[in-house]
Amino acid sequence: MKKNLKNSSFATAVLLFSFVLINCKSVAQEPSKNTENQNQTTVSSTLKWSDKMALTLMKRYPEAYMIDNAKTPKWDYVHGLVLHSFEELYKKNPDPKYAAYIRDYVDNFVQNDGTIKTYELEKYNIDMVVAGRLLFNLYSTSKEEKYLKAMQLLRKQLEEHPRTQSGGFWHKKIYPNQMWLDGLYMGEPFYAQYTVEFEKGKNLDDVAKQFEQIQLHATDPKTGLLYHGWDESKQMPWANKETGNSPNFWSRALGWYAMALVDALDYFPKDHPKQKDLVRYLNNVSSSLAKYQDKSGLWYQVTDKVGEKGNYLEGSGSSMFAYAFAKGANKGYLPSKYKKLANKAFDGLTKKLIKTDSDGTITITDVCAVAGLGGNPYRDGSYEYYINEVKKDNDPKATGPFILAALELNR
């Protein structure tokens, strides 16, 4: 009798184990069906560069939150940048999978009450605003209130965001009195679009003021380039004690600034008193950048230190300049010669920095992963600091602008 009971218990345990195993397998495999299909996709060599890069990213990151190798979902500026490029691509090639990729990302975060998961307003981090650009189209096409409420939440951040005494947004609450070039891209295109669509443009002067402040304080009179950061208090160890500026010109920071100008200008009517000023800033920085374009078409990591030891031709800044030059020329803000310079830059990217894998996917190499000022561990803004920051293939700060440049150039 005991033996039968043992056999019976053993059989039951085996059945139970099998049932659990089968169910575990089905649960584990369910979300990966899409991944499997995408992993088997071959990216055709006949596609335009914009589609090649977009499909590459979708293949490597089946869920958009995975971009930048993120392990858990996060509302973040790199996703905002890349998915904005997908929005622009969708306008030219309305493939529903591009729209779904964007919406799936946003719906991971935006709740019915308009709150945004992982977003913390009280940190007053200007980087967190840029992904809000994705909400405008979703709201206009769906009329779902949650998207409007999420935009209003980000607008609330800008309303309360700490500022320099002269009125410029701090880069983050943890970086008091500091404006960084990066912050202009993170905040101003969203701010400009929001005030035009929901406030009858009443705050366009304030948008322009952000550019005015950084132009006034961070421009080097000798080269015409803008320094990465400006500390109004002049207290930071990296800040020049007379000007408050950081010590070097970083191509990606300049790229953020140039892209911020061409994107914010979309919302400035030609007869707006500040529109001509923004166009002038764009011409000034573009003229200065053109002097430092390498014969390859690319730009160096530290913009003005051409060919110096350790400096390298960098992928994100070069992609950003290609985009800003091309869009600026297409919109009539810049002379037509900048379209040629943009094409030269794009040739440099595709010939020198792009690798194509056997499945047709593409990779931009020689991209600076990240750079900043201050913080812990401390970043001093020196030449040695910038050239020794880690490089990362297909970093989103390059892939997004690469798609945008390819679209503007119709390549």
Side-chain angles (χ1 to χ4, degrees):
M1 183 70 178
K2 280 185 181 176
K3 191 175 182 183
N4 287 343
L5 274 172
K6 273 186 184 174
N7 287 345
S8 171
S9 301
F10 178 75
T12 303
V14 168
L15 276 170
L16 190 61
F17 179 75
S18 303
F19 176 76
V20 170
L21 191 63
I22 287 163
N23 276 282
C24 285
K25 277 186 178 173
S26 65
V27 169
Q29 286 177 347
E30 200 58 45
S32 65
K33 281 179 187 169
N34 192 34
T35 311
E36 211 170 275
N37 291 340
Q38 281 176 287
N39 286 341
Q40 289 167 356
T41 304
T42 298
V43 178
S44 169
S45 61
T46 60
L47 291 171
K48 290 192 170 175
W49 285 108
S50 50
D51 287 293
K52 279 186 194 175
M53 181 55 82
L55 292 171
T56 293
L57 296 177
M58 291 179 75
K59 182 169 177 156
R60 295 179 186 172
Y61 307 113
E63 297 273 348
Y65 80 78
M66 299 172 178
I67 288 169
D68 208 21
N69 303 311
K71 298 291 183 268
T72 54
K74 186 185 176 193
W75 181 262
D76 197 58
Y77 76 95
V78 295
H79 302 84
L81 169 65
V82 173
L83 293 175
H84 171 67
S85 76
F86 272 70
E87 281 191 317
E88 295 302 304
L89 174 56
Y90 183 73
K91 290 177 188 175
K92 300 277 179 77
N93 177 12
D95 188 322
K97 67 175 173 281
Y98 294 149
Y101 196 63
I102 299 164
R103 184 163 187 156
D104 287 349
Y105 174 79
V106 173
D107 285 347
N108 247 319
F109 299 95
V110 176
Q111 308 299 291
N112 287 333
D113 62 357
T115 54
I116 303 169
K117 281 196 285 191
T118 79
Y119 165 75
E120 298 169 85
L121 181 146
E122 61 279 2
K123 287 192 172 177
Y124 294 104
N125 178 352
I126 202 105
D127 287 347
M128 295 304 116
V129 175
V130 69
R133 296 178 78 185
L134 307 172
L135 300 165
F136 291 98
N137 183 58
L138 286 170
Y139 176 62
S140 68
T141 53
S142 73
K143 295 301 176 195
E144 286 189 47
E145 285 292 305
K146 67 176 185 177
Y147 300 125
L148 176 60
K149 288 174 180 174
M151 283 189 274
Q152 290 167 342
L153 177 63
L154 295 168
R155 177 68 184 90
K156 185 174 188 284
Q157 177 184 327
L158 293 177
E159 191 64 38
E160 301 172 358
H161 202 92
R163 296 178 181 239
T164 63
Q165 286 184 351
S166 47
F169 292 130
W170 291 5
H171 192 62
K172 298 180 187 179
K173 188 179 177 181
I174 58 168
Y175 298 134
N177 307 306
Q178 297 167 42
M179 293 184 77
W180 297 7
L181 295 184
D182 322 26
L184 278 294
Y185 183 81
M186 303 304 161
E188 304 331 306
F190 172 87
Y191 190 9
Q193 186 171 0
Y194 188 95
T195 198
V196 165
E197 292 195 15
F198 299 107
E199 301 170 338
K200 297 182 179 174
K202 72 170 187 178
N203 282 296
L204 283 176
D205 281 355
D206 194 35
V207 175
K209 176 183 263 191
Q210 307 307 312
F211 291 101
E212 287 168 4
Q213 289 304 308
I214 207 76
Q215 189 74 26
L216 181 66
H217 296 290
T219 307
D220 173 46
K222 187 178 171 187
T223 62
L225 300 173
L226 288 90
Y227 292 100
H228 184 178
W230 168 62
D231 171 19
E232 187 182 52
S233 72
K234 302 170 188 171
Q235 297 300 306
M236 292 303 292
W238 53 255
N240 181 294
K241 294 308 167 203
E242 289 179 19
T243 65
N245 287 321
S246 59
N248 280 290
F249 308 112
W250 179 39
S251 285
R252 182 150 80 232
L254 283 153
W256 288 126
Y257 182 66
M259 291 202 304
L261 281 164
V262 293
D263 283 8
L265 273 164
D266 284 343
Y267 306 101
F268 276 79
K270 276 194 173 176
D271 61 355
H272 191 281
K274 299 293 183 183
Q275 196 263 2
K276 286 185 174 59
D277 290 340
L278 298 187
V279 170
R280 180 164 49 85
Y281 302 157
L282 178 63
N283 276 270
N284 289 350
V285 73
S286 299
S287 169
S288 301
L289 286 166
K291 296 172 190 167
Y292 295 99
Q293 187 175 20
D294 183 67
K295 62 184 179 187
S296 65
L298 303 172
W299 280 264
Y300 280 87
Q301 163 77 339
V302 180
T303 320
D304 63 326
K305 303 284 195 291
V306 175
E308 286 201 18
K309 188 179 178 184
N311 209 2
Y312 61 94
L313 296 166
E314 197 274 334
S316 65
S318 298
S319 297
M320 290 173 171
F321 300 148
Y323 166 62
F325 282 11
K327 183 174 179 179
N330 286 342
K331 292 274 190 176
Y333 310 137
L334 294 173
S336 58
K337 68 177 183 180
Y338 285 95
K339 187 83 173 273
K340 290 178 185 168
L341 296 180
N343 270 306
K344 184 180 177 183
F346 202 81
D347 286 341
L349 289 164
T350 54
K351 289 172 183 172
K352 287 199 164 289
L353 299 188
I354 291 275
K355 289 179 182 171
T356 303
D357 291 342
S358 57
D359 61 357
T361 57
I362 59 173
T363 299
I364 302 182
T365 60
D366 285 343
V367 182
C368 175
V370 67
L373 296 163
N376 185 22
Y378 190 77
R379 301 166 294 182
D380 64 0
S382 64
Y383 175 76
E384 289 71 24
Y385 162 70
Y386 285 110
I387 62 167
N388 286 303
E389 269 290 17
V390 173
K391 296 180 197 173
K392 182 178 173 186
D393 287 349
N394 261 13
D395 188 283
K397 279 88 78 183
T399 58
F402 179 83
I403 291 171
L404 293 168
L407 289 167
E408 289 293 334
L409 294 167
N410 194 25
R411 295 284 294 266

